[in-house]
Amino acid sequence: MDQIAVKKGLNNNVMIADHPAFGEVILIGKGIGFNRKKGDLIEEGQAEKMFVLKDEREQANYIKLLPFVENDLHEAIISSIELIKKRAASQLNEHIHVALTDHLMFAANRIANGLDFKNPFIVETKTLYPTEFQIAKEVVQLLKDKSGVEFPDGEIGFIALHIHSAVMNRNLSDVNKHSQLVTKLVQMIEENLEAEIDKEGIDYTRLVRHIRFTIERVNNGETVEEPKKFATLLKEEYPVCYNLSWKLIKVMQQTLKKQVCDAEAVYLTMHLQRLQKKVK
């Protein structure tokens, strides 16, 4: 196993070091920086996590964050990311170290100052990403146990989006944009059907997940086959739902700046009609 030379300790949990194969790296691990001096040699396996400093700006941003993060909270965040990796059973995009640390640091500051920040997308997030949401609930509990900071339920939704972004290797801004788009579409459906949808119901879950997969198909340039006769039947039998589905598709196209194939209107109409029956 390679030995790594310490360059600089940033705090008890983080060091900058020289790796014989990778050059400058950041080492993360509980207590790894305690009593370390420049030039000390340590075994690579002593670190819980190692960053190779390829993206200098991102690594610089991480280093800048550290003086502002309480030690207990930072240790809890390190443990949280290890928990996420274990529960997700996949490699995480390493940007999660910067993004989640930054988010939780500011969230903890808001809590300490008595500021409440609502999450308007939590219901949709829970429905869109149920696995990530469950992991995020475990993370919030771990953070409370290890740092004493009690994050509100709304933070579960925000953390879930960070997890989804890291697991799927997607830009967090895109993940947020898609969640906001789903929320907007659901609001349009409620306004047009003049009813409040049961957010705990199975039809709502099916609708939101259908919209999610529609968005993913559009982004990936995938199309679905259009059943011509079925489309004509739906248009004649359920004109309100059919017209509403096209309104929703136009909003998708404007937001995603990509074409949505006609067949998507057919399948969306079916979900809308099922909902309409329930809310009458």
Side-chain angles (χ1 to χ4, degrees):
M1 188 170 289
D2 289 319
Q3 286 195 319
I4 308 172
V6 174
K7 285 187 72 175
K8 182 181 180 182
L10 300 176
N11 62 29
N12 281 345
N13 302 311
V14 186
M15 295 188 307
I16 298 177
D18 268 326
H19 191 286
F22 304 122
E24 194 170 71
V25 297
I26 285 181
L27 301 180
I28 299 175
K30 296 175 193 173
I32 196 170
F34 184 69
N35 271 344
R36 301 284 187 187
K37 303 186 299 294
K38 183 175 181 180
D40 285 353
L41 295 177
I42 64 170
E43 296 287 339
E44 182 179 328
Q46 290 180 253
E48 293 176 23
K49 185 70 179 176
M50 182 176 76
F51 283 118
V52 179
L53 294 179
K54 290 181 178 176
D55 187 335
E56 292 183 8
R57 186 175 66 176
E58 183 165 303
Q59 303 302 345
N61 287 338
Y62 186 74
I63 292 168
K64 286 175 185 175
L65 282 175
L66 298 181
F68 303 101
V69 187
E70 292 289 337
N71 207 48
D72 287 349
L73 179 60
H74 189 223
E75 286 189 13
I77 293 170
I78 293 170
S79 297
S80 295
I81 292 172
E82 291 304 311
L83 172 68
I84 292 166
K85 185 175 180 180
K86 182 179 177 182
R87 292 285 186 269
S90 68
Q91 286 293 322
L92 304 177
N93 184 308
E94 290 191 342
H95 181 62
I96 193 172
H97 285 273
V98 178
L100 192 59
T101 302
D102 187 41
H103 175 82
L104 291 175
M105 179 187 72
F106 279 105
N109 286 338
R110 287 197 302 270
I111 292 165
N113 291 318
L115 300 175
D116 191 15
F117 189 79
K118 298 292 183 185
N119 183 350
F121 312 114
I122 189 166
V123 175
E124 284 75 20
T125 302
K126 182 179 180 180
T127 306
L128 284 167
Y129 313 117
T131 301
E132 292 90 334
F133 196 87
Q134 182 56 44
I135 296 171
K137 285 178 71 174
E138 294 182 45
V139 166
V140 166
Q141 185 61 51
L142 184 151
L143 290 167
K144 179 183 175 182
D145 293 342
K146 287 188 172 291
S147 72
V149 180
E150 190 165 356
F151 291 89
D153 287 346
E155 285 299 324
I156 297 172
F158 293 128
I159 294 168
L161 293 179
H162 279 283
I163 295 170
H164 180 74
S165 171
V167 170
M168 301 304 293
N169 203 25
R170 293 175 60 198
N171 191 299
L172 184 62
S173 63
D174 288 336
V175 175
N176 277 320
K177 182 172 74 174
H178 295 166
S179 297
Q180 292 168 23
L181 174 57
V182 171
T183 300
K184 182 177 181 178
L185 296 174
V186 169
Q187 289 171 346
M188 285 178 62
I189 292 167
E190 289 184 321
E191 288 167 8
N192 280 266
L193 296 183
E194 298 181 345
E196 185 176 347
I197 301 169
D198 176 13
K199 303 300 193 299
E200 300 298 324
I202 186 65
D203 291 320
Y204 172 76
T205 300
R206 287 171 177 159
L207 171 69
V208 168
R209 290 185 184 171
H210 175 78
I211 292 172
R212 171 194 167 184
F213 291 126
T214 300
I215 291 170
E216 290 183 2
R217 283 195 294 272
V218 172
N219 274 328
N220 294 331
E222 299 170 4
T223 58
V224 291
E225 188 176 345
E226 182 178 10
K228 298 284 187 184
K229 292 181 180 178
F230 199 34
T232 303
L233 176 65
L234 288 174
K235 187 176 181 179
E236 291 174 355
E237 291 291 324
Y238 312 115
V240 172
C241 293
Y242 189 79
N243 290 332
L244 175 55
S245 73
W246 274 107
K247 288 181 185 177
L248 300 174
I249 280 173
K250 285 177 182 176
V251 171
M252 280 189 212
Q253 290 181 157
Q254 290 167 356
T255 304
L256 301 173
K257 296 179 171 53
K258 291 186 178 182
Q259 189 67 29
V260 181
C261 72
D262 292 355
E264 296 290 0
V266 174
Y267 297 107
L268 193 48
T269 299
M270 293 165 61
H271 283 281
L272 295 175
Q273 196 274 327
R274 189 183 294 121
L275 272 176
Q276 188 183 44
K277 281 168 59 179
K278 297 286 177 69
V279 299
K280 276 184 177 178

